């Protein structure tokens, strides 16, 4: 599953990037807002705007690279 990768990268980027998980079955409005159709689903926001979306699992390296590109200056 994607959960261990998400947790590991969240620790690595602590203090630089805010990570959050949501249960889309309970948070229906949130799922609709981001048009979630499949899981896992990742949305990256910067300054309140969507800068990236990914559907499906991804490696730690891919997630790290995405965050470095989109969020960390």
């Amino acid at each position: 599953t994607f959960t261990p990768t998400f947790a590991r990268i969240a620790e690595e980027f602590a203090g630089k990037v805010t990570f959050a998980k949501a249960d889309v079955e309970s948070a229906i409005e949130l799922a609709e807002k981001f048009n979630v159709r499949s899981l896992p689903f990742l949305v990256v926001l910067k300054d309140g705007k969507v800068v990236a979306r990914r559907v499906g699992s991804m490696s730690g390296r891919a997630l790290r690279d995405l965050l470095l590109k989109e969020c960390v200056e």
Side-chain angles (χ1 to χ4, degrees):
T1 69
F2 184 59
T3 301
T5 301
F6 185 86
R8 188 175 64 252
I9 299 299
E11 282 184 28
E12 183 179 328
F13 281 83
K16 298 175 188 169
V17 176
T18 301
F19 286 74
K21 291 181 0 179
D23 177 356
V24 295
E25 291 181 12
S26 299
I28 296 168
E29 286 184 26
L30 187 62
E32 289 175 352
K33 177 179 180 177
F34 291 107
N35 199 29
V36 176
R37 297 289 178 240
S38 189
L39 298 175
F41 182 86
L42 175 75
V43 62
V44 179
L45 304 167
K46 184 171 184 179
D47 299 325
K49 296 180 182 174
V50 175
V51 294
R53 295 174 190 261
R54 298 291 185 274
V55 176
S57 192
M58 56 192 316
S59 70
R61 182 177 185 168
L63 179 54
R64 183 182 302 108
D65 290 348
L66 175 65
L67 296 174
L68 288 171
K69 177 184 174 196
E70 300 295 350
C71 298
V72 180
E73 299 172 0

